[in-house]
Amino acid sequence: MTVWPLDSTFRPHPVPGKETLIARKRLGDLLIERGTLTPTQLETALARQRETGGRVGETLIEMGYLTEGELFAILASQLGLPQLDPSQTPSDPDALLLVPPAVARKYTALPIRFEGKRLVVALADPLDYEAIQDLGFCSGAPVQPVLASRRALLEAIDARYKAAESDPDREGALVEALVEESSSQFSDVRVELVPEISLTPEETKSLADRSRLAPIIRLANMILTKAVTLRASDIHIEPEKREVRVRYRVDGLLREDMRLPKWVQGALVSRLKVLAKLDIAERRLPQDGAVRVMVNQQELDLRVSVVSVQHGEKIVMRVLQSSAAQALGPFGMSPRDEAFMASLLTHHKGLILVTGPTGSGKTTTLFRMIQRLATIAVNIATVEDPVEYQLEGVNQMQVNAEIGLTFAACLRAVLRQDPDVILIGEIRDAETAQIAVRAAMTGHLVLSTLHTNDAPSTLSRLVDLGVPRYLVASQVVGVIAQRLVRRLCETCRRRDTATEEELLTLRVPHKVGRSMSVHRAVGCPACQQTGHSGRLGLHEILVMTTRLRELVMAGAPDHEVQHEALAAGMTTLFQAGLAMIREGATSVDELLRVVEVEGSYETLCATCQGVLHSDFLTCPSCGTPVANRCPQCGKTLREGWTYCPRCRRKEDHPAVVELSPLQSRRGRRAVNE
């Protein structure tokens, strides 16, 4: 450790907050000039110092030639630094959190407060350059040193950190061990302060060296290992004002797992950047990278994204299994939907689209389809951003917009590679949509994703993107809308009766609701007390028929397209969710979380519990007439109406099918209006 001894001739040396310090004489000479010390006393003290070691100033105090107050007054005047009494100056809690106690005790340093962007730290030796550098690294802020008595500092450090460590929210054993182990390593590695704008090559190398410290590696490994244990799809490392928060996305929902000390932030971010081969010197611009790691004998691909936020750099890592077969698995569809899917994959040309919001498993479904199509006789090419699953025998192309390699440019290049099947990661704009449709028109089977709420509205979305209606009608062979719901834990799920509010929301008639049972999430060790384990897919598969093509050509609205698709056998997301609720696979809350029930048109038959659409006059399963339909014009009738307001027919037939509570409530509102 490089320390300027108090009895040496001072050499101009940069200290944060000061350009340079004026040259000074040796401490002993200065004390003799001031009459505080005699030459004989100085010689005696130097002889004692050579025998016992240590600093001359400390030896003079021990021998009684000088008081601690006199020594620090002289040093403060000589160095041009303010002097501070720790016992009379409180520490800002925010500043105290930024420096671990082991580091504070090692350097006899006490964080006091912030002055602008600088952290004021009381030091017994303000010329300890390495201490200033390490304190700056821990806190993430430039250090402004002030002078204080060593004895007073030690007492203040013990008192204030003891109070902080007695906080019931203190970190766990790993973080405590991390603090202790990390502090013992600080003297072995030179770390430079990180400026506001950029880093020099030497400073960049120092920061990279810091990220390789054993405790930081252990912490990063622990975070990745826990992601595997929890089956997390994403890891969020988020800097906050006083600490760093780590969250995992498990089964589609974020879950907070730990809060780390603020001083860990810089080293942890640097470690993950080094793994992903990112520029650790760049702290302002977003960066994206990838890395393959082995965790518990399991190979994982990590897609790393780094952005600068208010309190530092935030990292989000998407966790992907390198083994595509293990990651993808079966479709998990009902036998009816499996048959529809198989019929779509028999086409040799055309466009198949998978729709749904971000995180609904669209890419996974596309690659399951590719797995079925991949044979030695089929040339499959993909255009992705980024490449998530790596499949053997599939030519996968990465989009790079920075060099002009957009989806459209990649697709044009792929068309010249004699493909049989083309997978486009996402149709994002009109140009990509038109090229995809025209690729399907020229004899290729094209698979892609689009963001729409349901399958029928996908057709009109393509028209909105500028694709002619005749191409949409002729080239689209099928659309799959998808959602993911959490599966109830089979170990702890509890059977229960549906509440009145649930029946109202699901549009279930009272007669059906009395016999309808649901399951609740409870929580047990097997599911980490969440009540859920894994996820299930809800699918809405629209297969194009002649009648649907005619409706698209005629510009029919989405609800008419949906009516015809239902007549052709399509099962809506709502119907798929109700089936899973009846099986006990998921809960009502999960269905309502992912499916917009208000936008659906279904209710249940009170006789057979079959699903009824809004324009049905009779139940297609049991033939029971639907009471809230006019038998002459088929329009919906509200509760309390005696005559049909559309065709003037008197409504006198018996009410065979009950109205759902939601329909009854809406009917009363319509009458009042």
Side-chain angles (χ1 to χ4, degrees):
M1 182 174 67
T2 303
V3 178
W4 295 108
L6 294 180
D7 59 338
S8 67
T9 301
F10 179 76
R11 304 168 189 175
H13 184 77
V15 176
K18 299 287 182 181
E19 297 296 331
T20 57
L21 295 176
I22 60 173
R24 66 177 176 89
K25 297 180 180 180
R26 291 183 300 179
L27 178 63
D29 295 338
L30 185 62
L31 292 173
I32 291 175
E33 286 183 4
R34 295 192 176 191
T36 308
L37 199 67
T38 65
T40 304
Q41 290 175 326
L42 177 59
E43 289 298 330
T44 305
L46 289 175
R48 175 78 173 272
Q49 186 261 345
R50 284 191 291 268
E51 293 176 0
T52 61
R55 295 179 174 87
V56 171
E58 295 174 353
T59 303
L60 290 171
I61 295 174
E62 291 176 0
M63 296 181 69
Y65 295 152
L66 194 68
T67 66
E68 192 175 45
E70 291 173 336
L71 174 63
F72 277 91
I74 294 172
L75 289 176
S77 174
Q78 186 182 24
L79 298 176
L81 291 176
Q83 190 175 3
L84 180 144
D85 184 358
S87 63
Q88 302 298 322
T89 307
S91 293
D92 185 346
D94 291 345
L96 205 63
L97 284 171
L98 296 181
V99 177
V103 178
R105 293 187 177 101
K106 177 180 179 180
Y107 295 119
T108 318
L110 180 66
I112 301 299
R113 61 182 177 273
F114 280 98
E115 289 185 358
K117 294 184 178 181
R118 294 187 178 276
L119 177 64
V120 177
V121 180
L123 288 161
D125 185 0
L127 298 179
D128 189 344
Y129 181 66
E130 186 173 347
I132 293 174
Q133 300 304 294
D134 282 343
L135 290 167
F137 172 77
C138 293
S139 63
V143 172
Q144 174 64 56
V146 296
L147 191 62
S149 162
R150 182 178 299 274
R151 184 179 303 170
L153 277 175
L154 290 174
E155 293 176 356
I157 289 171
D158 288 340
R160 294 178 193 180
Y161 277 104
K162 184 177 181 181
E165 290 171 350
S166 64
D167 190 336
D169 295 330
R170 63 184 303 193
E171 304 299 333
L174 176 64
V175 177
E176 292 177 2
L178 178 70
V179 172
E180 294 294 331
E181 185 175 350
S182 177
S183 63
S184 67
Q185 304 257 358
F186 279 156
S187 61
D188 301 330
V189 181
R190 294 290 187 267
V191 180
E192 302 296 329
L193 283 174
V194 180
E196 289 290 326
I197 298 178
S198 62
L199 296 175
T200 66
E202 294 76 13
E203 291 169 332
T204 300
K205 183 178 184 301
S206 298
L207 194 55
D209 290 341
R210 175 69 73 188
S211 71
R212 298 187 185 97
L213 289 177
I216 297 301
I217 293 176
R218 286 176 48 223
L219 177 61
N221 292 347
M222 184 203 70
I223 291 174
L224 297 179
T225 303
K226 201 154 192 177
V228 175
T229 304
L230 296 175
R231 299 174 291 102
S233 60
D234 298 88
I235 306 171
H236 291 241
I237 299 175
E238 302 167 324
E240 296 185 346
K241 184 177 181 181
R242 300 184 179 182
E243 53 199 351
V244 179
R245 180 171 62 176
V246 179
R247 294 194 292 174
Y248 298 95
R249 187 175 295 277
V250 181
D251 295 334
L253 297 180
L254 281 173
R255 178 190 308 174
E256 183 175 315
D257 185 75
M258 68 181 80
R259 289 181 176 266
L260 302 172
K262 186 67 174 179
W263 66 269
V264 175
Q265 177 181 321
L268 180 59
V269 170
S270 297
R271 173 62 182 170
L272 297 175
K273 280 186 174 182
V274 168
L275 288 177
K277 297 180 174 61
L278 300 178
D279 183 5
I280 63 173
E282 178 56 67
R283 304 180 65 186
R284 300 167 299 170
L285 298 177
Q287 296 187 72
D288 294 305
V291 62
R292 177 170 292 184
V293 296
M294 183 72 71
V295 179
N296 292 342
Q297 306 301 317
Q298 184 175 350
E299 201 173 68
L300 300 177
D301 285 326
L302 302 178
R303 198 173 74 199
V304 183
S305 174
V306 184
V307 297
S308 179
V309 295
Q310 183 179 8
H311 299 295
E313 290 179 286
K314 175 183 176 181
I315 291 185
V316 175
M317 293 181 286
R318 172 65 56 88
V319 182
L320 301 169
Q321 294 180 350
S322 295
S323 172
Q326 182 182 3
L328 298 176
F331 279 101
M333 297 178 175
S334 66
R336 183 187 184 91
D337 288 339
E338 284 276 6
F340 279 131
M341 177 68 74
S343 69
L344 292 179
L345 296 180
T346 59
H347 290 77
H348 300 294
K349 63 178 182 178
L351 179 62
I352 301 176
L353 294 171
V354 182
T355 74
T358 301
S360 59
K362 301 186 297 296
T363 302
T364 303
T365 297
L366 283 181
F367 273 89
R368 285 169 177 160
M369 298 166 71
I370 288 294
Q371 276 186 315
R372 289 197 178 185
L373 295 172
T375 64
I376 195 65
V378 178
N379 179 20
I380 301 177
T382 73
V383 180
E384 306 171 62
D385 183 23
V387 174
E388 294 192 6
Y389 300 110
Q390 298 181 13
L391 298 178
E392 291 187 8
V394 177
N395 306 295
Q396 297 176 266
M397 194 170 182
Q398 170 75 52
V399 170
N400 189 348
E402 294 181 358
I403 61 174
L405 199 61
T406 61
F407 272 102
C410 290
L411 191 50
R412 289 193 187 94
V414 164
L415 288 173
R416 295 190 288 270
Q417 294 288 312
D418 186 32
D420 297 303
V421 179
I422 302 173
L423 185 150
I424 306 172
E426 182 180 352
I427 294 179
R428 299 182 178 181
D429 50 42
E431 184 180 14
T432 306
Q434 293 178 14
I435 295 176
V437 173
R438 295 187 185 279
M441 184 174 60
T442 55
H444 305 91
L445 181 61
V446 181
L447 287 70
S448 188
T449 67
L450 200 63
H451 288 282
T452 57
N453 292 328
D454 53 27
S457 62
T458 304
L459 304 175
S460 59
R461 173 62 178 154
L462 286 175
V463 175
D464 293 340
L465 286 173
V467 181
R469 289 187 180 277
Y470 75 91
L471 288 180
V472 176
S474 61
Q475 300 307 317
V476 176
V477 298
V479 182
I480 305 169
Q482 180 170 311
R483 301 289 189 277
L484 293 177
V485 294
R486 293 185 294 171
R487 183 199 301 267
L488 286 172
C489 176
E490 296 182 359
T491 304
C492 62
R493 65 181 180 180
R494 175 173 56 86
R495 192 184 183 106
D496 197 5
T497 303
T499 65
E500 182 72 19
E501 184 64 27
E502 289 172 336
L503 297 176
L504 178 69
T505 306
L506 296 177
R507 304 178 181 179
V508 178
H510 289 290
K511 183 177 179 180
V512 178
R514 286 194 295 269
S515 60
M516 180 177 177
S517 63
V518 296
H519 287 76
R520 311 288 184 194
V522 179
C524 66
C527 59
Q528 286 88 40
Q529 305 299 329
T530 63
H532 298 89
S533 179
R535 288 192 285 181
L536 299 166
L538 306 181
H539 299 92
E540 178 179 286
I541 303 179
L542 181 150
V543 178
M544 290 295 286
T545 62
T546 302
R547 177 57 183 160
L548 284 173
R549 299 184 195 280
E550 292 174 353
L551 290 174
V552 173
M553 286 290 294
D558 291 345
H559 71 272
E560 291 187 16
V561 175
Q562 185 182 45
H563 293 175
E564 181 58 34
L566 288 169
M570 181 185 80
T571 301
T572 66
L573 295 169
F574 179 72
Q575 293 172 354
L578 282 178
M580 289 190 177
I581 289 175
R582 290 195 184 101
E583 295 171 2
T586 191
S587 62
V588 176
D589 292 338
E590 274 298 295
L591 176 61
L592 299 179
R593 184 177 66 85
V594 301
V595 176
E596 297 289 340
V597 179
E598 288 293 330
S600 60
Y601 297 87
E602 300 89 356
T603 185
L604 299 183
C605 174
T607 302
C608 68
Q609 300 187 21
V611 178
L612 303 177
H613 199 264
S614 60
D615 64 341
F616 287 2
L617 298 179
T618 61
C619 175
S621 301
C622 65
T624 303
V626 179
N628 62 329
R629 302 288 184 275
C630 175
Q632 179 168 306
C633 66
K635 301 296 184 180
T636 302
L637 299 176
R638 302 300 184 189
E639 185 181 26
W641 290 1
T642 304
Y643 291 87
C644 176
R646 286 95 175 183
C647 65
R648 301 182 182 179
R649 176 187 174 91
K650 184 175 182 180
E651 182 57 31
D652 54 1
H653 65 279
V656 181
V657 179
E658 291 186 42
L659 296 173
S660 72
L662 184 60
Q663 290 171 326
S664 300
R665 186 179 65 180
R666 288 180 172 174
R668 288 192 295 271
R669 185 168 63 244
V671 171
N672 294 333
E673 292 175 353

